[in-house]
Amino acid sequence: MKKLVYLFIILFSTVFYSQTNAIEISATLNTDTHELFVQQTIVYHNTSSVLLDSIYLHNWPNSFRDRHTALSKRLLTDYKKDLYFSKEKDRGKNTIKNIAIDYSPVTWNKEETSEDIIKIKLKRPLKTQDSIKITATYVVKIPKDQFTRYGRNNTSYNLRFWYLVPAVYNNGWQTMSNLNMDDLFMKPSNYTIHFTLPKAFHLQSQLLQTKKENNTQITYLLKGEKAVDIDLVISKKENFEKINTGEVIIASNLGGKKLKKQVKKEVLKRALDFMASYLNKYPHKKMLISKLAYKKNPVYGLSQLPSFLAPFSDVFEWDIKMFKVLSRAFIENTLILNKRTDAWILDGLQTYLMIKYVDKFYPELKFVGNISKIWGVRSYTFAQMDFNDKYPFIYQTAARANIDQSLTTRADSLSNFNRKIVNKYKAGLGLQYLDEYLQDSIIPKTIKTFYKNNTLKIAEASAFNTILKQHSNKNIDWFFNDYLKSKKKIDYTIKKVEKTKDSIKITIKNKRNFSAPVALFGVKDKEVKFKKWYTIDTSKTITIAQNGFDRVGLNYRYSYPEINLRDNWKSLEKRILNKPLQIRTLKDAENPYYNQVFLTPTAEYNYYDGLAIGLAIANKTLLRKDFVYKITPTYSTKSKNLTGSFSLLYRQFVENSKVRSYRFGVTGSYFHYDKDLTYQTFSPFVNIYLKRKSLRDPGGSSINFSYKYIDKEPNPAIAYNPEELKYQLFSVNYTYAKPEIIQDFRYRAGLQIAKKFSKVDFLVHYRKLTDSNRQFDFRWYAGAFLSNKTTSDFFSFGLHTPSDYSFQYKYFGRSETTGFFSQQIVIAEGGFKSKLPTNFANQWITTFNSSVGLWRWLEVYND
């Protein structure tokens, strides 16, 4: 019986192996013309359950062809115009000479909307379990690496997505254009690659390789089974270090020159063993870890700190950089998912592993490393943050600004900030959240089962969800629905605490429409005395026994990504303030256990006050708050008087509405507008920001209402007009902006009402870059008084220098009529750059301003 089982396994394995696509490539690199001459054979197996009448190939080398490709357009939306305006000699393309199927030439065509996808119409439909042989001859011109970092530079070639790849058929053809996201969906294939180079060059890849050479050339033979995404690094200098950990050979050029090879080997073996404990052993013999791969996916927060302070040890810095790239390669080379639809599971696994790795091997490490030990810094909250605290901190940054997106949003619809950082962190925090909540190693078990079941197979994130439900005995529908599929925020607060003789009644309120489990803690001197999870829909009163703790709180260890921790604590001792006051001299990270006040030195200048030096008193932390105040008393060195300003702002975001957010506030100021003459302003306002179609759409629109009271001190030495000294203004403005890199379009419509006048104005601004990268700029302004009973031109439209009666422009010398400060240009109202005899219009005005870029910052203008 055992023999029959073994025979069945062998036969099944043979059939499965035979169903793996095979790709054979013979390529020669011409380093003079930067061209690859390629002959490629693809043995394609139909592993689907349907007849295939067409085959699709991804031709991503052709995505660099011209400015009309999906890649070029995508880079423009990322404000990168290098490819769009590049010269033909710097771009890349793929010139296909012929394509044949089973040695019979076939016709092929590009997709109508995609230069980098090829469709081959089959003469005979391909049956299930049958295969065909596709042969192609083509020439790849390698682009400069300035566009996507892949391509050529003066010393090397970094090649990725450089050959034809069959598209995946999984409930339909999964075709995709290159969008500079490094996410080509491909099935594992068996590779045999012959790559010929001039003798002066060296080649590295993730495949096992041998080489033969003659007097002028070297031919590398690369072989690998069930591999994906073959990267090649070709350079004049052999700068890759090969480290054999015993099971895997790591070829890397990721620095670490100060570390001995034995230390690197031990660190790499530890990292691979750690990943294997959560996933499984790496199924391939070799990995390529390049400096470029790290630059494309760095450890954020590590390289942003000044290197001269040496915040981290050489071992840790090399280890964490290596682990970031190593874990990504480990996962992406073995779990085959569509990264545009299921990116969250890959991102979540990597971030979760990063968190666990640091927890295990660097538990005491701080976010700013050794900087946290510096006197004067170590008392700050950001210096006390653990290295892993950066994940919830960055998530909160996006969530509080309402620029986060759901984890199931297609990757090509995410903003760059969310795709590269925020969603990765939120996905990892989600797995960490489940790990804390479910306990019993359910998440590690689920990860391991999911990985084993799907190694080197086409997989979907839904399979992870299914396994997780099977392992868990708790209701986790909240995770699969609201946490993954929406951008709903978790936000709980302790509303009330009643202390009796031997128990405590705690009322917890859910401030949002997301009922996720919440952890309640009882704490004494930072020691946890009590912890229990609850699920609360709206509000709930919980009674617990006293156990020696002096305060209760929610989410004490930040086990889940909550948007606001400031109202999560209640002291059980009688205090005037629930949280003590904390005063800082510089801006700090938010500390939920204190009421924080920041004192920041400030300085600003105008001609009449001189240098106004002061101290801003504010509550604004590194994270956004809904309510922010700032009071800035200053001393003016020239006028020898106290001056200053203040602002009180409150912001409220709106969900499921055409309105993105409301902003209410009041501002005021007291400075000088002329020598020894003061002015004061007081202005309440309301701003309504409308929602964009998506976060990848630039700009937006808003409606602004404001009231402004202005009181100016009269000059007793001259006759003055009372209407110019004390007045009130009510304004309504609608603004729209779409600042794309090739063309920038904006307009504004406004209404202003005062006691003696009312007027409307309209501004349109359009900027255009031509195909030759020359900039044209057009501006049209129009305004008219609806009524005007004023007796001077103080409130009139300005042709070249507005009087700025509402004090909205930063004039250094607003009352100067001669001298240096009278030459200050503010492009507003009429927008003329030259002074004309007639500057003001008291009925109506219309102006047209234009400019043309000649060279760099040199322009010629016309008004």
Side-chain angles (χ1 to χ4, degrees):
M1 182 66 183
K2 287 184 177 179
K3 290 182 178 179
L4 289 175
V5 172
Y6 291 147
L7 181 61
F8 174 78
I9 292 173
I10 293 171
L11 289 173
F12 178 80
S13 300
T14 303
V15 171
F16 179 78
Y17 182 86
S18 67
Q19 293 297 307
T20 303
N21 292 342
I23 295 178
E24 185 171 349
I25 296 173
S26 178
T28 302
L29 175 62
N30 185 328
T31 55
D32 295 326
T33 61
H34 309 297
E35 290 179 322
L36 268 178
F37 298 87
V38 182
Q39 290 181 314
Q40 180 175 352
T41 300
I42 304 169
V43 178
Y44 179 83
H45 295 267
N46 181 8
T47 55
S48 73
S49 58
V50 299
L51 286 171
L52 300 179
D53 58 7
S54 299
I55 299 290
Y56 286 85
L57 301 177
H58 284 117
N59 182 23
W60 279 21
N62 214 40
S63 58
F64 298 88
R65 186 178 192 88
D66 54 41
R67 65 177 48 148
H68 304 296
T69 64
L71 174 62
S72 180
K73 294 173 182 177
R74 174 76 174 198
L75 291 174
L76 285 180
T77 64
D78 294 337
Y79 289 86
K80 297 176 182 177
K81 58 181 181 178
D82 288 355
L83 180 56
Y84 189 87
F85 289 115
S86 63
K87 297 177 181 179
E88 185 177 359
K89 65 183 179 67
D90 297 330
R91 296 196 293 263
K93 63 180 179 180
N94 188 3
T95 304
I96 297 179
K97 304 298 184 180
N98 62 71
I99 296 179
I101 291 182
D102 293 334
Y103 306 106
S104 175
V106 294
T107 58
W108 56 273
N109 59 280
K110 294 176 291 187
E111 281 283 81
E112 292 182 5
T113 57
S114 304
E115 289 279 344
D116 53 5
I117 300 173
I118 293 172
K119 180 180 180 181
I120 304 173
K121 187 72 175 175
L122 299 180
K123 295 179 179 177
R124 292 185 299 275
L126 182 61
K127 298 178 182 178
T128 300
Q129 305 303 321
D130 278 0
S131 65
I132 57 172
K133 181 177 286 188
I134 305 170
T135 55
T137 303
Y138 52 91
V139 179
V140 174
K141 183 185 174 187
I142 301 171
K144 280 194 170 182
D145 64 1
Q146 68 190 72
F147 312 128
T148 64
R149 291 184 173 165
Y150 298 124
R152 58 184 167 90
N153 55 46
N154 294 332
T155 60
S156 63
Y157 298 83
N158 289 281
L159 304 184
R160 192 175 186 189
F161 315 122
W162 54 276
Y163 54 96
L164 297 178
V165 176
V168 173
Y169 189 95
N170 187 29
N171 297 319
W173 287 104
Q174 306 296 309
T175 59
M176 54 183 65
S177 286
N178 184 7
L179 299 179
N180 192 31
M181 293 165 54
D182 300 345
D183 60 349
L184 181 56
F185 189 24
M186 59 177 78
K187 292 180 69 173
S189 301
N190 299 323
Y191 282 90
T192 302
I193 301 175
H194 297 82
F195 207 102
T196 302
L197 298 167
K199 197 171 181 180
F201 286 82
H202 304 270
L203 180 147
Q204 275 299 334
S205 75
Q206 70 265 50
L207 302 181
L208 295 176
Q209 60 190 55
T210 57
K211 64 181 179 180
K212 293 181 180 180
E213 57 183 285
N214 55 34
N215 293 333
T216 59
Q217 293 181 325
I218 301 178
T219 298
Y220 287 84
L221 172 61
L222 314 177
K223 300 200 74 171
E225 295 179 0
K226 297 180 183 175
V228 293
D229 195 9
I230 308 304
D231 297 358
L232 302 179
V233 180
I234 301 165
S235 57
K236 292 181 180 179
K237 184 179 179 181
E238 178 60 278
N239 57 359
F240 275 79
E241 183 179 25
K242 299 178 191 68
I243 300 174
N244 192 336
T245 65
E247 294 182 349
V248 182
I249 298 170
I250 307 294
S252 172
N253 63 349
L254 192 59
K257 292 181 180 179
K258 297 180 181 179
L259 304 181
K260 293 182 179 179
K261 190 170 184 177
Q262 182 61 30
V263 173
K264 292 182 180 179
K265 180 177 178 179
E266 291 171 2
V267 170
L268 285 172
K269 189 176 188 313
R270 182 180 75 178
L272 288 169
D273 289 344
F274 178 85
M275 284 184 272
S277 69
Y278 278 92
L279 302 171
N280 205 348
K281 288 187 177 181
Y282 189 66
H284 301 303
K285 297 296 183 183
K286 185 180 175 185
M287 295 179 77
L288 181 71
I289 306 299
S290 70
K291 189 186 300 183
L292 174 59
Y294 176 76
K295 288 180 178 179
K296 298 277 283 188
N297 190 22
V299 179
Y300 292 99
L302 190 67
S303 57
Q304 283 73 19
L305 296 173
S307 58
F308 69 87
L309 292 175
F312 301 102
S313 68
D314 294 334
V315 173
F316 170 76
E317 190 166 334
W318 187 81
D319 185 9
I320 202 67
K321 286 180 178 179
M322 179 61 72
F323 191 87
K324 182 70 181 287
V325 187
L326 198 71
S327 59
R328 194 70 185 183
F330 195 117
I331 294 168
E332 288 192 345
N333 290 343
T334 53
L335 281 178
I336 316 303
L337 294 96
N338 187 331
K339 285 178 267 188
R340 294 209 178 161
T341 57
D342 286 333
W344 80 264
I345 186 62
L346 297 176
D347 294 338
L349 287 176
Q350 185 188 23
T351 304
Y352 178 79
L353 290 176
M354 292 279 293
I355 292 171
K356 293 298 184 183
Y357 188 75
V358 171
D359 275 346
K360 183 172 183 178
F361 298 109
Y362 303 98
E364 304 300 323
L365 190 71
K366 299 302 180 183
F367 176 57
V368 293
N370 294 328
I371 296 174
S372 64
K373 300 176 183 178
I374 298 175
W375 183 88
V377 175
R378 59 189 175 213
S379 62
Y380 279 77
T381 302
F382 73 82
Q384 298 169 11
M385 290 170 57
D386 291 333
F387 191 83
N388 281 338
D389 287 340
K390 71 174 184 174
Y391 298 107
F393 181 83
I394 295 298
Y395 166 74
Q396 279 187 312
T397 300
R400 290 195 185 182
N402 200 29
I403 57 173
D404 56 321
Q405 293 170 277
S406 73
L407 290 178
T408 53
T409 301
R410 281 183 58 94
D412 49 356
S413 296
L414 294 172
S415 69
N416 285 343
F417 182 44
N418 286 327
R419 179 175 62 84
K420 293 179 179 180
I421 306 178
V422 178
N423 276 36
K424 291 183 178 184
Y425 290 4
K426 183 184 177 184
L429 289 169
L431 296 181
Q432 176 82 343
Y433 185 3
L434 287 171
D435 199 4
E436 290 274 347
Y437 174 59
L438 298 176
Q439 295 292 307
D440 299 326
S441 298
I442 287 176
I443 288 300
K445 290 175 186 175
T446 300
I447 290 174
K448 196 146 198 168
T449 303
F450 174 71
Y451 184 84
K452 284 184 176 181
N453 291 351
N454 295 284
T455 302
L456 297 175
K457 301 175 185 176
I458 299 295
E460 294 180 354
S462 58
F464 179 86
N465 301 349
T466 301
I467 296 169
L468 182 56
K469 284 182 178 179
Q470 291 170 350
H471 285 170
S472 172
N473 57 2
K474 295 181 180 179
N475 183 359
I476 49 176
D477 289 341
W478 55 269
F479 179 80
F480 300 120
N481 295 320
D482 287 341
Y483 193 89
L484 290 181
K485 297 178 182 178
S486 78
K487 52 181 284 186
K488 291 181 179 180
K489 286 33 171 215
I490 302 172
D491 192 8
Y492 289 91
T493 184
I494 296 179
K495 292 295 293 182
K496 187 170 62 172
V497 172
E498 294 181 42
K499 189 176 178 181
T500 62
K501 184 177 180 180
D502 56 0
S503 64
I504 305 169
K505 287 186 177 181
I506 305 163
T507 301
I508 302 173
K509 181 181 178 182
N510 185 350
K511 296 165 65 178
R512 299 274 179 158
N513 60 341
F514 184 2
S515 298
V518 56
L520 175 66
F521 291 83
V523 179
K524 171 72 173 178
D525 297 329
K526 296 185 178 181
E527 182 183 352
V528 175
K529 300 285 188 178
F530 172 86
K531 177 186 176 183
K532 191 171 181 180
W533 289 88
Y534 299 92
T535 299
I536 300 167
D537 293 330
T538 54
S539 182
K540 188 173 185 178
T541 299
I542 298 161
T543 302
I544 63 174
Q546 290 194 35
N547 192 22
F549 41 84
D550 55 14
R551 57 177 173 164
V552 291
L554 305 172
N555 204 3
Y556 176 55
R557 290 174 176 156
Y558 211 142
S559 303
Y560 45 90
E562 189 172 5
I563 190 173
N564 177 25
L565 301 178
R566 294 190 303 273
D567 53 5
N568 280 17
W569 289 95
K570 288 290 184 183
S571 174
L572 300 181
E573 299 173 354
K574 291 184 178 181
R575 292 178 177 177
I576 298 175
L577 295 174
N578 180 54
K579 295 186 288 185
L581 189 66
Q582 183 186 70
I583 297 177
R584 290 279 183 256
T585 54
L586 296 173
K587 191 178 289 187
D588 194 6
E590 187 173 277
N591 190 328
Y593 313 128
Y594 291 90
N595 289 308
Q596 294 172 292
V597 177
F598 302 100
L599 307 179
T600 309
T602 65
E604 58 180 286
Y605 176 84
N606 72 66
Y607 185 55
Y608 314 110
D609 288 299
L611 193 63
I613 303 171
L615 199 65
I617 305 167
N619 71 330
K620 188 176 182 181
T621 64
L622 295 175
L623 286 173
R624 289 194 183 188
K625 291 184 174 181
D626 290 338
F627 174 71
V628 177
Y629 66 82
K630 184 177 182 181
I631 304 168
T632 312
T634 55
Y635 176 75
S636 296
T637 57
K638 189 173 182 179
S639 64
K640 310 296 183 183
N641 286 328
L642 289 176
T643 52
S645 62
F646 77 91
S647 64
L648 305 172
L649 307 174
Y650 178 77
R651 181 204 58 188
Q652 181 179 0
F653 288 109
V654 184
E655 297 180 2
N656 303 318
S657 170
K658 291 184 179 180
V659 174
R660 177 174 173 262
S661 65
Y662 297 98
R663 191 165 175 255
F664 312 88
V666 58
T667 63
S669 62
Y670 178 79
F671 290 102
H672 288 78
Y673 74 95
D674 207 339
K675 184 178 180 181
D676 298 326
L677 299 177
T678 63
Y679 74 91
Q680 53 186 309
T681 67
F682 178 81
S683 178
F685 64 88
V686 177
N687 298 333
I688 303 172
Y689 298 96
L690 304 180
K691 191 167 290 184
R692 292 178 281 171
K693 291 182 180 178
S694 79
L695 289 181
R696 290 200 61 83
D697 290 334
S701 57
S702 64
I703 305 171
N704 311 296
F705 302 88
S706 68
Y707 165 83
K708 185 164 280 190
Y709 169 81
I710 296 166
D711 188 359
K712 296 165 61 181
E713 182 181 359
N715 187 346
I718 61 173
Y720 56 85
N721 189 338
E723 68 186 24
E724 299 178 10
L725 297 179
K726 186 180 291 188
Y727 47 91
Q728 302 168 57
L729 306 168
F730 174 75
S731 301
V732 182
N733 287 283
Y734 173 80
T735 60
Y736 171 87
K738 193 170 185 178
E740 295 176 331
I741 192 169
I742 298 299
Q743 54 184 10
D744 183 326
F745 178 66
R746 307 163 188 253
Y747 66 85
R748 178 186 61 81
L751 166 67
Q752 195 172 92
I753 301 173
K755 184 177 181 180
K756 288 196 172 185
F757 71 89
S758 61
K759 62 182 181 180
V760 294
D761 67 344
F762 191 74
L763 173 67
V764 178
H765 192 175
Y766 178 73
R767 178 190 56 78
K768 171 74 175 179
L769 288 177
T770 65
D771 289 349
S772 59
N773 202 15
R774 187 179 298 281
Q775 178 172 296
F776 285 83
D777 197 288
F778 305 100
R779 179 182 182 274
W780 178 69
Y781 177 80
F785 278 91
L786 302 178
S787 65
N788 189 0
K789 297 178 182 179
T790 61
T791 58
S792 71
D793 279 324
F794 184 69
F795 299 101
S796 296
F797 296 107
L799 184 64
H800 56 75
T801 306
S803 60
D804 191 28
Y805 53 85
S806 60
F807 289 87
Q808 61 180 317
Y809 306 125
K810 285 289 184 180
Y811 278 120
F812 292 108
R814 62 179 57 250
S815 298
E816 299 304 291
T817 57
T818 60
F820 177 73
F821 286 111
S822 70
Q823 302 297 315
Q824 183 178 350
I825 295 176
V826 175
I827 306 300
E829 296 187 2
F832 270 51
K833 270 69 76 179
S834 303
K835 287 188 176 182
L836 298 179
T838 303
N839 181 40
F840 296 105
N842 60 7
Q843 292 184 345
W844 59 268
I845 185 175
T846 179
T847 62
F848 180 76
N849 320 101
S850 63
S851 65
V852 180
L854 297 182
W855 179 76
R856 293 191 177 180
W857 303 109
L858 182 63
E859 295 183 355
V860 59
Y861 70 88
N862 172 65
D863 293 329

